[in-house]
């Protein structure tokens, strides 16, 4: 791809859709926290969020199944696994982290997933990463220490840290399951079908008494205003899932997965801004510095990863870019 082509793609309206998508996904923690404070459990919030999104996407999923049945029927077990780990468990663990930590800190913990993938690749191949990747991982881990602010006056929640790291593991699984160049499953089926399976699992665990499932019709406080509980619910389903997913699809098709995956890092910035404006949460200066190091470390790791694919890309010149996506359940541009 020439420099002119790259500039044209970045300057296209798809750039706006990518930023809108990241901003919409970033609202999930703020909406969820308002529900928790009104009596909802994380399991209930996750079940309603992905269950509601599955209902909204039901018709496109059924049509996709009918039209592509011969191509996708063998991939349905993978769609189910996708719904359980990257969608249901990733959101559940992230929302549990949000219960004990600020939204920004919980999301930054989840964003350590690229570093976990570097360590996994190192262990599996026994090949040392390139220097740039090692530096990026060191930056991210150093940023983690600052984000946790272990020497600060506010006591950090060990339980919240563990939930955040568990979300990072599920996010890493999202990378591994989504980065298949030969994937024959349409994105709508992967997302909508995965949501249906994930919601069924969460509801099933709740009905069996394995997972606390507490709902509440009490009013919630959102943006310092008392609102109906339907406001954060509709926000989670329509804004942070369905709308964010559609905007992400448009962005990825216009920008390509490489550029879109970098722009998805803006979700961390947007999450901190939304939590500050809507919940009055603002990390301490040292935590903000740590967040910058984590995001910077992830950028360095991905730059090194993309640099390693430049030679094959030039040789084949097919215009097909490797899929680099994030943990957000209904996401193609890069939660969660």
């Amino acid at each position: 791809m020439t420099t002119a082509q790259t500039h044209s793609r970045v300057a296209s309206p798809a750039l706006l859709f990518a930023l809108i998508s990241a901003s919409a996904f970033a609202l999930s923690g703020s909406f969820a926290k308002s529900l928790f404070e009104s009596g909802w459990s994380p399991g209930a919030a996750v079940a309603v969020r992905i269950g509601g999104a599955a209902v909204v996407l039901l018709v496109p999923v059924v049509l996709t199944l009918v039209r592509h049945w011969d191509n996708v029927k063998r991939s349905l077990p993978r769609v189910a696994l996708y719904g359980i780990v990257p969608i249901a468990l990733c959101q559940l663990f992230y929302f549990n982290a949000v219960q004990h930590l600020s939204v920004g800190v919980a999301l930054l913990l989840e964003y350590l997933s690229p570093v976990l993938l570097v360590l996994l690749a190192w262990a599996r191949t026994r090949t040392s990463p390139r220097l740039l990747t090692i530096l990026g991982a060191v930056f991210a881990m150093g940023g983690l220490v600052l984000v946790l602010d272990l020497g600060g006056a506010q006591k950090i929640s060990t339980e919240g840290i563990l939930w955040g790291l568990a979300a990072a593991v599920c996010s890493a699984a999202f990378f591994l399951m989504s980065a298949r160049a030969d994937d024959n499953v349409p994105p709508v089926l992967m997302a909508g079908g995965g949501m249906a399976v994930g919601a069924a699992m969460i509801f099933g665990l709740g009905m069996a008494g394995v997972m606390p499932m507490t709902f509440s019709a009490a009013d919630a406080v959102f943006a310092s205003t008392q609102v109906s509980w339907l406001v954060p619910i509709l926000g989670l389903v329509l804004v942070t899932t369905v709308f964010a997913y559609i905007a992400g699809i448009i962005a990825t098709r216009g920008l390509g997965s490489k550029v879109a995956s970098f722009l998805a890092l803006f979700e961390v910035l947007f999450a901190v801004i939304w939590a500050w404006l809507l919940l009055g949460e603002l990390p301490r200066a040292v935590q903000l510095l740590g967040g910058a190091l984590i995001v910077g470390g992830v950028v360095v790791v991905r730059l090194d990863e993309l640099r390693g694919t430049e030679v094959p890309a030039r040789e084949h010149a097919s215009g097909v870019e490797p899929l680099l996506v994030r943990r957000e359940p209904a996401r193609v541009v890069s939660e969660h």
Side-chain angles (χ1 to χ4, degrees):
M1 183 180 299
T2 65
T3 303
Q5 287 175 315
T6 301
H7 176 74
S8 176
R9 290 174 66 172
V10 172
S12 72
L15 172 62
L16 178 61
F17 279 103
L19 295 176
I20 290 174
S21 175
S23 177
F25 277 117
L27 272 168
S28 64
S30 296
F31 279 125
K33 197 144 195 173
S34 68
L35 288 175
F36 301 155
E37 292 173 351
S38 65
W40 286 64
S41 67
V46 170
V48 170
R49 181 189 184 189
I50 61 179
V55 170
V56 173
L57 294 173
L58 180 61
V59 172
V61 167
V62 171
L63 291 177
T64 301
L65 278 173
V66 171
R67 292 173 181 172
H68 302 280
W69 176 253
D70 290 337
N71 293 328
V72 303
K73 60 184 178 182
R74 293 194 180 117
S75 299
L76 292 183
R78 185 162 57 86
V79 173
L81 183 62
Y82 180 87
I84 292 172
V85 180
I87 290 183
L89 293 182
C90 188
Q91 288 189 59
L92 179 64
F93 295 159
Y94 170 62
F95 282 177
N96 272 304
V98 166
Q99 263 198 322
H100 302 279
L101 304 169
S102 70
V103 171
V105 171
L107 189 59
L108 285 167
L109 288 173
E110 185 183 341
Y111 252 88
L112 287 172
S113 55
V115 178
L116 297 182
L117 289 175
V118 169
L119 297 176
L120 176 62
W122 193 349
R124 290 176 60 182
T125 64
R126 301 191 182 281
T127 301
S128 177
R130 292 186 293 269
L131 178 60
L132 203 57
T133 292
I134 294 176
L135 288 176
V138 170
F139 287 160
M141 297 308 294
L144 174 60
V145 173
L146 295 180
V147 163
L148 297 182
D149 194 16
L150 300 178
Q154 185 176 2
K155 184 178 180 181
I156 197 74
S157 169
T158 302
E159 183 177 354
I161 294 172
L162 293 176
W163 283 122
L165 293 176
V169 172
C170 292
S171 175
F174 185 92
F175 276 105
L176 293 174
M177 295 187 68
S178 300
R180 292 179 51 149
D182 60 343
D183 200 343
N184 64 338
V185 181
V188 168
L189 176 58
M190 182 66 84
M195 287 179 198
V197 172
M201 184 198 77
I202 296 293
F203 275 118
L205 291 175
M207 294 176 63
V210 176
M211 178 185 300
M213 193 77 73
T214 306
F215 302 87
S216 174
D219 287 346
V221 176
F222 184 72
S224 301
T225 305
Q226 188 168 328
V227 298
S228 167
W229 61 275
L230 287 173
V231 172
I233 287 296
L234 291 176
L236 279 175
V237 173
L238 298 179
V239 178
T240 73
T241 306
V242 176
F243 172 75
Y245 170 70
I246 294 173
I249 286 285
I250 296 172
T252 301
R253 290 178 177 176
L255 295 171
S257 57
K258 290 180 182 179
V259 177
S261 67
F262 280 105
L263 291 174
L265 292 172
F266 275 93
E267 183 180 344
V268 176
L269 173 62
F270 285 127
V272 172
I273 293 174
W274 285 130
W276 175 38
L277 295 176
L278 301 175
L279 304 177
E281 292 182 355
L282 184 63
R284 285 160 39 87
V286 66
Q287 292 178 306
L288 292 174
L289 175 59
L293 284 175
I294 289 178
V295 174
V298 171
V299 169
V300 170
V301 169
R302 290 192 175 180
L303 279 173
D304 198 31
E305 177 183 291
L306 296 180
R307 188 183 66 171
T309 64
E310 283 180 358
V311 174
R314 286 177 185 148
E315 289 176 354
H316 295 288
S318 62
V320 178
E321 303 181 40
L323 184 60
L324 298 175
V325 290
R326 216 186 123 279
R327 97 352 162 140
E328 283 293 341
R331 192 158 194 172
V332 180
V333 299
S334 69
E335 158 72 191
H336 50 132

